Amino acid sequence: MAKFNILLHEMVPEHILVPVEEEEKLLEEIGISKNQLPKIRKSDPVIKALEKISGDIEPGRIIKIVRKSRTSGIATIYRMVIGE
């Protein structure tokens, strides 16, 4: 069975690993703490696919998700990676 890159599927929004040096500025801009972000598990298939590109993604890292929205055009959300 051929391996499939989930990040290339049309139904999966773009996921971007936020650089560590930009995290604090981002949290300040949106006015919340890291623990207030919605969570995404390290075992999520999208995180596994991102790890093949970016290397190991430790819990606590922030993922930027950009999805197309019928009402707002483009919606950007952020999630914090948690353990398995």
Side-chain angles (χ1 to χ4, degrees):
M1 176 185 252
K3 296 210 177 205
F4 177 74
N5 184 347
I6 193 170
L7 296 172
L8 300 178
H9 193 280
E10 66 184 49
M11 297 298 290
V12 177
E14 182 179 11
H15 287 65
I16 304 159
L17 180 64
V18 175
V20 174
E21 54 274 2
E22 293 178 21
E23 288 182 356
E24 198 61 42
K25 181 181 176 191
L26 169 69
L27 293 170
E28 200 173 289
E29 285 177 9
I30 58 179
I32 62 172
S33 70
K34 190 182 276 192
N35 288 329
Q36 291 175 302
L37 289 170
K39 311 300 187 268
I40 186 168
R41 291 196 178 278
K42 186 171 170 64
S43 59
D44 188 284
V46 172
I47 299 301
K48 294 291 185 194
L50 273 177
E51 286 184 321
K52 290 179 181 176
I53 299 167
S54 305
D56 189 42
I57 298 175
E58 295 293 324
R61 294 294 305 272
I62 297 175
I63 305 296
K64 176 181 179 178
I65 302 169
V66 181
R67 59 176 53 130
K68 295 175 186 168
S69 167
R70 289 185 218 165
T71 55
S72 64
I74 294 180
T76 302
I77 62 169
Y78 299 92
R79 292 193 177 195
M80 182 180 75
V81 177
I82 61 171
E84 305 296 320

